[in-house]
Amino acid sequence: MADPIHERDATGKALDLVAEAAAPYLESLTTRPVSDPGAEESLGELGGPLPEHGDGTLAGVSRLLRTGTRAATHSAGPRFFHFVVGGATPAALAGDWIASLLDQNPGNWAASPFGTQAETVVLGWLKDLFGLPESYGGVLTTSATSANFTALSAARFWWAERHGVDVTVDGLAGLPPMPVFSSGYVHVSTRKALQMLGLGRDTVRRFARDDAGRVDLPALDRALAETDGPAVIVANAGEVNTGDFDPIDEMAELAERHGAWLHVDGAFGLFAALSSRARHLVDGIERADSVISDGHKWLNVPYESGFAFVRDAALLGRAFGAWDAPYLPGDGDDHVNYQFLGPDSSRRARALPIWATLRAYGREGYRAMVERHLDLAAHLGRLVEEAPDLELLAPVRLCVVCFRYRRPGIEDLDALNTRLGAELLADGRVFAGTTVYRGMTALRPAIVNWRTTEADVELLVSIVREIGSRLTA
């Protein structure tokens, strides 16, 4: 095979192959292991030298489907509890296929009015869903990390401007370090964003009052008072080990008192706003200068999806726009051009799966899903407390349950749980890795997948206890 122009008629047949494989694969997710211990053997089918003459459309697609459905980690299923990973709702998956079919570039209005308008609509819907003011500016990103990068870029512009510098034009040279303060809950994605912004990964000062990382507000207050010039505060809505929250409202008070920028990293915790039972955890969110969240977590849309919101809508354009390229939209263009509001120029129409799922299930559907997951996390917490060989390490606050395995006569519980975590992932029936919480090695399964049921969390407990019982110190 050679030039794809000779295979124009194969497109429909290739898509038929994917569609025919999709239904049985998706149906299998409710029962199949998350990973197949023998899957790595299939990975070799991806390799080999670059073909001089290709296999052709149908042969190439068939091979990828065959290898992928065997070798992929089946993280879209209901028993992938590792990290914080959602699935893709039926509507979101179909919306993602539509995004690939139409292949839009909503970087600017001229390239895709349809993609641009879809992004504008879903940003408005998301602000409504989370209780953010309609006036906030926003942009869709690839992930929570890129959303943190986007929002903190706006914060960096704001901070530099208060030092009399247009950092977009002139850079950071000659400026002092930008003060960034947080609790012990600050996530690595925030630190990575600061690293990419040239502000330093390890410059965040953490104010924690205990070894769990809960914020020390009086110490933070004193540090802000002693800081020369403006600072940035990072509040964390949903800590990865336990699902705990910083007190956003109280941190907003400090930000207003000291003239600081308040950024809220709500990668998954922002979805607490959807439930009347958990809404108090994000009290004060509407007072933040910037807020981010992640779509491929609790929104359950396919990768890659994140969103960043900024109180001063003009700051995104000032941080990312004004390229002065004659072939791009410039001054006088009244349309929104998202390539000037975030780091991506050419951009996938990532609004389409979000539009599809929000249109399909609405506020009430997502409220019901979030509250069902809250119930499942509470149920898992009770199962842990009732089991004589399990220990709950933190209260269940949202969708993450932090616990460890223990057995009489074994003193080194960290080594035991490290081995258990490795065995659990190798076993593959359920997926939940380890973390270190308050100096203890622990499991921290997260429940955000729309498919997950009570039977799935009960299976997790059963398998953890089964594997643990056959391990020795």
Side-chain angles (χ1 to χ4, degrees), residues 6 32-33 50 53 56 111 125 188 197 209 248 259 301 337 341 353 356 385:
H6 302 305
R32 76 188 301 166
L50 174 68
H53 300 284
W125 286 355
V188 292
L197 285 165
R209 57 187 170 91
I248 298 170
V301 302
N337 294 292
L341 303 183
E385 290 187 299

Side-chain angles (χ1 to χ4, degrees), residues 84 144-145 148 182-194 201 204 206 234-236 238-241 246 265 267-268 297 444:
V84 185
T145 300
N148 274 321
S182 190
S183 70
Y185 290 165
V186 64
H187 191 262
V188 292
S189 68
T190 294
R191 297 173 63 217
K192 183 176 182 179
L194 293 170
R201 181 195 64 194
V204 182
R206 308 179 200 193
V234 177
N236 304 279
E239 187 266 343
V240 293
N241 288 325
D246 282 329
D265 180 352
F268 66 92
K297 290 184 170 62
R444 31 84 61 211

Side-chain angles (χ1 to χ4, degrees), residues 12-260:
K13 294 177 181 178
L15 293 176
D16 285 343
L17 287 176
V18 179
E20 289 166 6
Y25 175 75
L26 294 171
E27 289 169 7
S28 76
L29 290 175
T30 57
T31 56
R32 76 188 301 166
V34 179
S35 67
D36 180 352
E40 287 191 14
E41 298 176 7
S42 302
L43 297 179
E45 296 181 20
L46 294 173
L50 174 68
E52 189 65 32
H53 300 284
D55 298 336
T57 300
L58 299 185
V61 170
S62 295
R63 182 168 182 163
L64 185 60
L65 270 172
R66 183 177 64 251
T67 304
T69 51
R70 283 206 307 262
T73 302
H74 308 299
S75 52
R79 292 181 301 282
F80 189 96
F81 301 110
H82 205 5
F83 311 114
V84 185
V85 175
T89 66
L93 180 57
D96 199 57
W97 286 19
I98 293 170
S100 293
L101 171 67
L102 301 178
D103 196 23
Q104 300 289 283
N105 176 11
N108 61 66
W109 178 272
S112 178
F114 167 71
T116 302
Q117 181 64 12
E119 184 157 348
T120 300
V121 169
V122 301
L123 287 167
W125 286 355
L126 290 167
K127 285 183 281 187
D128 186 22
L129 195 68
F130 298 134
L132 294 172
E134 186 180 352
S135 58
Y136 276 39
V139 65
L140 298 181
T141 69
T142 58
S143 64
T145 300
S146 63
N148 274 321
F149 175 84
T150 300
L152 291 170
S153 293
R156 184 183 66 166
F157 186 95
W158 166 89
W159 167 81
E161 192 173 48
R162 274 148 184 74
H163 287 277
V165 174
D166 183 337
V167 72
T168 301
V169 175
D170 299 319
L172 291 167
L175 285 166
M178 186 175 90
V180 183
F181 303 147
S182 190
S183 70
Y185 290 165
V186 64
H187 191 262
V188 292
S189 68
T190 294
R191 297 173 63 217
K192 183 176 182 179
L194 293 170
Q195 172 186 330
M196 292 189 294
L197 285 165
L199 300 169
R201 181 195 64 194
D202 297 333
T203 58
V204 182
R205 292 180 59 189
R206 308 179 200 193
F207 297 87
R209 57 187 170 91
D210 58 25
D211 59 354
R214 287 179 290 184
V215 66
D216 185 337
L217 287 171
L220 176 58
D221 190 9
R222 290 192 296 272
L224 287 164
E226 294 166 0
T227 299
D228 183 16
V232 173
I233 303 171
V234 177
N236 304 279
E239 187 266 343
V240 293
N241 288 325
T242 68
D244 198 12
F245 283 63
D246 282 329
I248 298 170
D249 214 22
E250 293 174 81
M251 294 173 85
E253 288 286 346
L254 292 183
E256 291 174 7
R257 184 186 313 157
H258 295 285

Side-chain angles (χ1 to χ4, degrees), residues 13 94 123 187 202 239 249 308 358 364 396 405 412 425 449:
K13 294 177 181 178
L123 287 167
H187 191 262
D202 297 333
E239 187 266 343
D249 214 22
L358 290 177
E364 178 57 24
V396 179
Y405 182 81
D412 193 346
L425 297 180
N449 187 298

